[in-house]
C-alpha cells in the first residue's frame, strides 16, 4: 500500500480547520473552522494585501481535537503553477468547504494549484517534531534527514534533548514529514504531520512509540533498525 492509499484509509472525514500563514508565522495564522461561513472576496483580498511577506502557506487540519487521529497537510505557495495568491486561496477554500475526501482534496490541489500529480508522491526528505503553531518560535526537533538510518534510540535521544517540545502546555505536537525540502523538484515544499502525542491533564506529551511507528510507515524506502 502506498502512502496516499494508507492516508486515505486513515483520514476518513473532511478537514475541520483550514488556516493560512505568511512566511511561516503560524502564531499569526488566519484560522477558519468548517462551522464558520466561507470568507467573502473582500476578506481574502484584505488578507493577501496585509503586510509584507514572501511566502503564503495553507494548512488543512483533520480531527484537531483527537490526538490519535489528527493529521495536518501543509502546502507552500512556492514553485506552484498557479501563481495568483487570490486563486490559490480560493481553490484551497473550495476544497475545504466542499468537504472533499482526502484523495479528492490532494487531486484538486494538484490539478488546480500545483500543475499535476505531485503532493505526497515523492520520497520524504526530512522529519521534524514541533509544537503546532509554535513551530518556528520554539524551533522544531530535527529527527531524521534523507540518507539517515532510522533508529529508535537516535529518535528518542533527539526528543529527550528538547523537554520543552516533549511536553507542552502551548499546543499539541506534530510529527512533520517534509517533501521537496531542498526545492529541487518541480513542485511545492509541502508537509504531512501525523499523530504523535497524548494529552495528560493540561499538557500534551510526545508518545515516542507512536512517533517511531509513524516514521516506519511514512519512510517506506528506509529499512528500520
Amino acid at each position: 500500500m502506498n502512502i496516499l492509499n494508507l492516508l486515505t484509509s486513515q483520514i476518513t472525514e473532511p478537514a475541520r480547520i483550514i488556516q493560512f500563514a505568511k512566511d511561516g508565522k503560524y502564531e499569526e495564522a488566519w484560522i477558519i473552522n468548517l462551522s464558520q461561513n466561507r470568507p467573502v472576496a473582500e476578506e481574502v483580498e484584505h488578507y493577501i494585501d496585509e503586510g509584507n511577506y514572501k511566502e503564503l502557506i495553507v494548512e488543512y487540519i483533520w480531527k484537531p481535537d483527537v490526538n490519535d487521529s489528527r493529521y495536518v497537510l501543509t502546502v507552500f505557495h512556492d514553485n506552484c503553477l498557479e501563481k495568483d495568491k487570490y486563486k490559490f486561496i480560493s481553490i484551497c477554500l473550495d476544497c475545504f468547504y466542499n468537504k472533499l475526501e482526502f484523495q479528492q482534496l490532494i487531486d484538486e490541489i494538484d490539478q488546480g494549484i500545483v500543475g499535476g500529480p505531485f503532493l505526497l508522491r515523492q520520497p520524504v526528505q526530512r522529519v521534524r517534531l514541533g509544537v503546532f503553531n509554535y513551530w518556528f518560535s520554539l524551533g522544531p526537533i530535527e529527527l531524521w534527514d534523507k540518507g539517515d538510518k532510522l533508529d529508535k534510540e537516535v529518535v528518542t535521544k533527539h526528543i529527550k534533548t528538547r523537554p520543552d517540545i516533549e511536553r507542552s502546555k502551548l499546543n499539541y505536537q506534530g510529527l512533520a514529514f517534509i517533501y521537496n525540502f531542498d526545492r529541487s523538484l518541480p513542485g511545492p515544499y509541502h508537509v504531512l504531520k501525523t499523530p504523535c502525542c497524548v494529552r495528560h491533564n493540561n499538557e500534551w506529551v510526545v508518545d515516542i512509540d507512536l512517533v517511531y511507528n509513524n516514521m516506519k510507515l511514512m519512510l517506506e524506502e528506509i529499512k528500520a533498525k
Side-chain angles (χ1 to χ4, degrees), residues 129-188:
L129 180 69
V131 176
F132 192 73
N133 277 357
Y134 292 86
W135 201 258
F136 291 110
S137 56
L138 283 179
I141 305 170
E142 303 289 345
L143 288 186
W144 178 90
D145 205 355
K146 183 179 179 181
D148 292 346
K149 178 180 286 188
L150 179 57
D151 187 321
K152 188 174 183 179
E153 290 184 4
V154 173
V155 169
T156 302
K157 182 179 178 180
H158 286 318
I159 293 172
K160 292 296 182 182
T161 63
R162 293 294 306 275
D164 58 326
I165 292 179
E166 185 181 8
R167 306 181 78 96
S168 177
K169 295 180 180 180
L170 293 173
N171 208 345
Y172 51 81
Q173 296 88 342
L175 177 63
F177 296 89
I178 303 173
Y179 296 81
N180 204 19
F181 178 81
D182 60 9
R183 268 79 164 186
S184 63
L185 300 171

Side-chain angles (χ1 to χ4, degrees), residues 167-208:
R167 306 181 78 96
S168 177
K169 295 180 180 180
L170 293 173
N171 208 345
Y172 51 81
Q173 296 88 342
L175 177 63
F177 296 89
I178 303 173
Y179 296 81
N180 204 19
F181 178 81
D182 60 9
R183 268 79 164 186
S184 63
L185 300 171
Y189 176 110
H190 60 288
V191 182
L192 193 283
K193 298 185 180 80
T194 70
C196 66
C197 64
V198 295
R199 186 74 184 266
H200 287 316
N201 298 322
N202 63 342
E203 66 181 358
W204 287 271
V205 182
V206 171
D207 182 331
I208 293 176

Side-chain angles (χ1 to χ4, degrees), residues 7 49 132:
L7 292 171
D49 294 338
F132 192 73

Side-chain angles (χ1 to χ4, degrees), residues 198-223:
V198 295
R199 186 74 184 266
H200 287 316
N201 298 322
N202 63 342
E203 66 181 358
W204 287 271
V205 182
V206 171
D207 182 331
I208 293 176
D209 287 338
L210 183 57
V211 167
Y212 182 68
N213 289 337
N214 276 333
M215 289 179 73
K216 284 197 294 183
L217 284 174
M218 294 292 293
L219 300 174
E220 286 186 315
E221 73 280 9
I222 303 299
K223 288 186 177 179

Side-chain angles (χ1 to χ4, degrees), residues 12-26:
T12 58
E13 297 180 7
R16 304 301 302 179
I17 292 175
I18 187 172
Q19 65 179 34
F20 298 94
K22 298 169 179 175
D23 291 342
K25 297 177 181 179
Y26 298 105

Side-chain angles (χ1 to χ4, degrees), residues 1 17 23 45-46 63 71 108 110 121 130 220:
M1 179 180 288
I17 292 175
D23 291 342
E45 290 168 355
H46 175 74
K63 292 192 175 182
Y71 288 86
E108 286 295 318
D110 272 341
R121 290 176 169 87
E220 286 186 315

